[in-house]
Amino acid sequence: MKLGCCYFPEHWPEEMWADDARRMAEIGLSLVRVGEFAWRRIEPEPGIFDWGWLDRAIEVLHGAGLRVMLCTPTATPPKWLVDQMPDMVAIDEEGRTRGFGSRRHYCFSHTGYREESRRITAAVAQRYGGHPAIAAWQTDNEYGCHDTVLGFSAAAAARFRIWLKERYGDIGALNTAWGNVFWSMEYRSFAEVDPPHLTVTEANPAHWLDYRRFASDEVVSFNREQVDILREKSPGRDITHNFMGFFTEFDHHDVGRDLDVATWDSYPLGFLEQFWFSDDEKQAYLRQGHPDIAAFHHDLYRGCSNGRWGVMEQQPGPVNWARFNPAPLPGMVALWTLEAFAHGAEFTAYFRWRQAPFAQEQMHAGMLRPDGSDAEAADEARSAAAAIAQLGDQSSVDAPAALVFSYEAAWVCGIQPQGLSFRYLELAYEWYSALRRHGIDVDIVGPDADLTGYSAVFVPTMPIAAPRFTDTLAALDCPVLIGPRSGSKTHSFCIPDELAPGDLQRLIPLSVTRVESLRGGVSESRDDWSISRWREDVSSDLEPEFALPDGRGIVFAHGNIRYVAAWPDRSLLDHLVRNIAAEADIELTPLPEGLRLRRTASHIFAFNYSGCPIDTAPLGLGSPVFGAPVLEAAGVAVWARA
Ligand code: GAL
C-alpha cells in the first residue's frame, strides 16, 4: 500500500512547492492528489487557460519522486460559468436556488453544464493524459456531498420525463405501476409528471423511488462521460472517484462499475459524531471512532469496484465539519492507516497536506500546521510507512462471510420508514458489527454479486427482492440470514400479491401478515435476547427457532435459509452469528470490546479501538511479529499466520 496526501499547490506560494514535495517524500508519501477544486485557476477566463502553474507544480512533485492523482475540477465551476449559465445551478427540494460561493453548486441534469464538464475534462486530460507523473485520475469530488444528488431544476424535471418514458413506454403503464388511481394522481402524458417535491403531503412512494433511481442514474452518466474522455486521452491510468462515508444517495455499485479503483474519504471521528451512535458510544470512542466505521467502508468499497480500492482522504487530526471535533488519540492516525492496509487498500492519502489558514476549512487539521511545522499526523504517517515497509506486501484472503448491501434498499427504507428508527444503514452496520466483534472477516457486496464460495451470507434487508436475487440465494447451500422487510415491496413500490417476503417465499414458506414499528425504549425480550424497533406477525407452519414468551416467532429456519421477523438487538444478533458460524464452520474469535481483527493471506492484524490497554494473550495467537501482546490504546499488533 502506498501513502499519499491531498495537496493544493494553488493555495501556496510557488516557492514553497519544492520543499513541500521534499518533505512529503521524506515522510514516506509517494502519491499526491491535486486539482479537484482548481477550475478557476486553470481557466481564469472562458476559454483562456493558464496551465503554467499546474505544469510546474506537477513537475516539482514528479521531480521529488512523487506521482500525481489528478482530478477533473468539476465540483467547483467558476463564477464566470455560473453567470454565463445561471440555470446550471442546483435547485433544492424546497425549490431554492443553491448559490455560488462554496462548492458542488451544479445540477447533474443540466445539459449545458454536462457539456462544460466534458469540455474541461477533455482539456485537462489532453494536457496531462500522457504525462509520466500522472498515476491516476479522480473524477470530480465526492458526488452528492452537501445534499446534491437529488435536484429539482427544470433540467432535472425534463430529463426525468424522458427517463420515465424510456422505462414505461406509455403513461397508462406508469399510472398502473405507481397506483396513481389513488388520490386522483393519474397523468395523461409524461409531460405532466413533475419531480415529487413541494406536494401538500407526502408524494407517492413509487414516484419517489423512480425519482431516486433517476437521480442515481444521472450521477452514473455524469461520471461516465468523464470516464470515457479520460480513458481515451489517458490510456493505462487508473480512474477513481472518492466516495463518502455512510452515504447512500446514489448507487455506488453502478458508479463503481465504470471505475478501476473505488476510493473513499475516511473521517472516523466526524462520522461517529454526526451519525446515529449512542451517547455512550460517542463518549467511549470519542478519539478513536467506533471500531467498525472505517472497516465497514473498506469492505463496502472493496465490493464496489472488483476488489480494487483505496482511501483518498484520511482524517489527520480534528476536522471542522462535525458538531464537535475532537483530536484523535495518539496513534490513531497510524492505526487507521494500517487498518486500511490490512483490508487491502492500494493506497491511503491524508487530507490534507498543510492546514489552510484561510477560508472554510481553516479549522481542519493537516499533516502540517498552517505555519508549516509538522502536525501530529506527520509523525504518525512516518510510523505507518515504517510498519508497512516492515510487514511487506499483503495479499488478501477470501472472507468467509458476505453481507449484501443494496442502495435501493436504503432508498426504500428512507422513502417509507414506517417507524422513525428503521434506518437501513444502521441495520446493515449492526449486522456487520456483530460479525466483526466475533472476529469474522466480511465482504460487503452488491445484490448482483456472485455469492458462491462464501460460507455464510447475510442480507440485513432487501425490500425489493428481484427474481434474479432470489435465484442467487436459491443456488446457495451455505447458511443465509435474511432480515425483516425483505421482499415486502414490488419493483414499483407496492405490496406483493402474495404478501412479504414476496418472491423470497420460494426459499422459505412463510408470509408476513402484519408489521408494527416500536418507539425508542420499547423492546421485547426472552431469556438473554431482545428485539426492538420493528416486529412482524408471521404465518407459517415452520416451528420458530427463536420465539417471544407468548409464542410469536422471531426467527424461522428452513433448510439453510433463516428469516428474522424483527429488528434483532445485539444479543439476538450474537446468537445468530454464533449459530450460523457453528453450522458453516467459520472460525469464531469473540473479541474484547473495542478490539478488531483482520486477516491477510500471511498475517493477522489486531486494532485496539478501546481507549485502554488490551491483553491479546487470551486470543491464543502467540507472539506478534509487530507490536506488543498487550496492546496499548490505539495500538496495532500483527501475527504471522501459521
Ligand atoms: C471531504 C472533501 C474535502 C474536504 C474534507 C474535509 O468531504 O472531499 O474536500 O472538504 O471533506 O474533511
Side-chain angles (χ1 to χ4, degrees):
M1 183 178 84
K2 296 186 165 68
L3 296 181
C5 69
C6 302
Y7 186 51
F8 301 90
E10 69 275 24
H11 294 182
W12 311 105
E14 196 163 331
E15 308 81 74
M16 288 168 88
W17 298 348
D19 197 46
D20 281 344
R22 181 191 59 75
R23 288 174 72 189
M24 288 172 196
E26 174 272 313
I27 286 175
L29 313 185
S30 57
L31 285 171
V32 189
R33 185 190 65 175
V34 170
E36 75 275 26
F37 304 128
W39 192 337
R40 166 64 176 68
R41 286 294 173 101
I42 291 171
E43 191 182 12
E45 303 281 343
I48 298 176
F49 290 89
D50 179 3
W51 298 112
W53 70 272
L54 188 52
D55 291 352
R56 294 191 296 280
I58 290 172
E59 286 310 330
V60 166
L61 294 168
H62 198 207
L66 304 160
R67 295 200 74 206
V68 172
M69 302 191 282
L70 196 56
C71 306
T72 63
T74 42
T76 50
K79 180 73 165 94
W80 57 254
L81 183 56
V82 177
D83 289 345
Q84 247 176 30
M85 244 175 6
D87 62 348
M88 61 154 274
V89 296
I91 306 289
D92 76 5
E93 200 177 329
E94 307 301 322
R96 293 171 305 207
T97 298
R98 307 197 73 175
F100 180 84
S102 64
R103 61 179 173 182
R104 298 218 59 78
H105 38 283
Y106 68 85
C107 169
F108 280 104
S109 301
H110 192 273
T111 321
Y113 188 64
R114 290 262 182 148
E115 238 176 85
E116 285 295 309
S117 151
R118 292 192 299 267
R119 186 182 63 81
I120 191 70
T121 298
V124 181
Q126 180 69 37
R127 181 91 189 170
Y128 301 108
H131 195 297
I134 307 301
W137 291 92
Q138 174 186 298
T139 54
D140 201 283
N141 189 76
E142 289 194 341
Y143 290 134
C145 189
H146 316 305
D147 194 16
T148 50
V149 170
L150 291 176
F152 298 87
S153 65
R159 281 173 62 101
F160 180 46
R161 294 179 190 118
I162 296 167
W163 187 95
L164 290 172
K165 184 140 201 282
E166 280 166 7
R167 270 150 199 86
Y168 291 94
D170 79 77
I171 196 67
L174 178 147
N175 284 325
T176 307
W178 289 7
N180 279 342
V181 60
F182 195 76
W183 289 351
S184 251
M185 297 180 296
E186 283 158 309
Y187 301 105
R188 293 170 305 161
S189 69
F190 289 100
E192 289 185 347
V193 188
D194 286 321
H197 72 140
L198 301 174
T199 50
V200 173
T201 181
E202 60 180 314
N204 187 337
H207 190 172
W208 263 120
L209 181 57
D210 271 346
Y211 203 64
R212 286 197 163 274
R213 288 176 175 142
F214 156 75
S216 179
D217 286 355
E218 290 291 84
V219 178
V220 173
S221 63
F222 183 91
N223 181 68
R224 188 176 298 149
E225 288 179 3
Q226 295 198 358
V227 167
D228 288 346
I229 294 165
L230 294 170
R231 292 222 184 280
E232 185 204 314
K233 296 194 183 292
S234 190
R237 269 41 171 222
D238 284 333
I239 302 178
T240 186
H241 176 76
N242 57 335
F243 296 125
M244 291 193 285
F246 292 135
F247 188 76
T248 56
E249 299 286 293
F250 62 89
D251 193 320
H252 294 49
H253 293 119
D254 285 349
V255 172
R257 268 187 273 278
D258 291 326
L259 305 173
D260 301 300
V261 183
T263 59
W264 80 284
D265 296 344
S266 176
Y267 294 94
L269 304 191
F271 296 146
L272 175 76
E273 177 55 40
Q274 293 305 93
F275 287 90
W276 61 78
F277 299 93
S278 68
D279 279 346
D280 285 350
E281 288 168 320
K282 288 185 186 189
Q283 295 274 357
Y285 296 116
L286 179 78
R287 300 181 184 285
Q288 305 96 293
H290 186 273
D292 298 308
I293 291 178
F296 176 83
H297 293 95
H298 297 336
D299 293 344
L300 171 69
Y301 291 124
R302 195 174 55 244
C304 281
S305 137
N306 280 326
R308 295 192 59 198
W309 68 283
V311 176
M312 189 58 93
E313 299 182 11
Q314 173 62 62
Q315 174 164 4
V319 298
N320 64 308
W321 45 262
R323 286 172 294 218
F324 302 97
N325 298 295
L329 276 187
M332 246 7 253
V333 173
L335 181 152
W336 292 325
T337 307
L338 294 177
E339 196 175 26
F341 176 52
H343 282 252
E346 295 190 5
F347 61 86
T348 291
Y350 302 94
F351 185 93
R352 48 186 283 151
W353 172 243
R354 186 191 287 101
Q355 181 174 353
F358 44 79
Q360 281 92 328
E361 293 180 351
Q362 52 186 273
M363 300 302 288
H364 193 294
M367 302 185 79
L368 306 188
R369 303 192 181 96
D371 69 356
S373 58
D374 274 11
E376 291 73 1
D379 243 356
E380 299 224 6
R382 274 187 198 98
S383 73
I388 292 165
Q390 182 190 330
L391 291 164
D393 283 347
Q394 302 289 315
S395 47
S396 52
V397 276
D398 295 336
L403 184 137
V404 183
F405 189 91
S406 154
Y407 289 88
E408 186 177 75
W411 306 336
V412 171
C413 296
I415 289 168
Q416 196 177 68
Q418 179 67 6
L420 197 56
S421 56
F422 201 106
R423 291 180 289 259
Y424 177 72
L425 258 176
E426 201 173 332
L427 181 71
Y429 186 87
E430 286 192 357
W431 286 43
Y432 175 83
S433 272
L435 290 160
R436 300 292 297 140
R437 61 178 176 262
H438 287 90
I440 299 174
D441 290 327
V442 183
D443 283 345
I444 302 182
V445 300
D448 296 330
D450 177 3
L451 297 175
T452 51
Y454 287 105
S455 302
V457 170
F458 295 79
V459 184
T461 184
M462 189 66 68
I464 298 177
R468 196 164 52 145
F469 182 64
T470 314
D471 293 343
T472 304
L473 296 185
L476 301 174
D477 49 21
C478 68
V480 176
L481 185 67
I482 301 174
R485 302 184 84 163
S486 292
S488 63
K489 301 292 173 195
T490 63
H491 183 76
S492 48
F493 216 119
C494 299
I495 295 171
D497 292 341
E498 66 275 44
L499 302 182
D503 194 45
L504 295 169
Q505 288 172 6
R506 289 202 267 133
L507 308 179
I508 185 162
L510 56 81
S511 69
V512 175
T513 54
R514 184 171 71 166
V515 300
E516 59 171 347
S517 55
L518 305 170
R519 61 185 1 267
V522 180
S523 69
E524 300 197 39
S525 54
R526 170 156 191 182
D527 307 327
D528 60 347
W529 60 267
S530 60
I531 59 116
S532 58
R533 304 189 198 207
W534 184 268
R535 198 190 62 78
E536 302 176 348
D537 287 340
V538 168
S539 157
S540 177
D541 292 336
L542 297 171
E543 252 327 287
E545 185 184 0
F546 288 82
L548 290 168
D550 61 6
R552 286 173 299 162
I554 294 299
V555 180
F556 295 86
H558 180 65
N560 61 325
I561 306 288
R562 278 187 178 79
Y563 182 81
V564 196
W567 183 290
D569 284 342
R570 181 181 166 125
S571 47
L572 179 54
L573 279 172
D574 285 346
H575 277 294
L576 289 167
V577 166
R578 286 195 291 261
N579 292 357
I580 288 172
E583 281 165 27
D585 232 351
I586 297 175
E587 181 190 343
L588 272 191
T589 319
L591 297 171
E593 199 66 40
L595 192 73
R596 289 295 183 267
L597 299 181
R598 173 76 191 179
R599 292 163 194 78
T600 65
S602 49
H603 291 88
I604 301 180
F605 288 67
F607 303 97
N608 182 3
Y609 273 89
S610 75
C612 11
I614 294 181
D615 183 2
T616 59
L619 303 180
L621 296 169
S623 353
V625 295
F626 177 89
V630 176
L631 268 186
E632 291 308 315
V636 178
V638 184
W639 293 263
R641 292 183 73 178

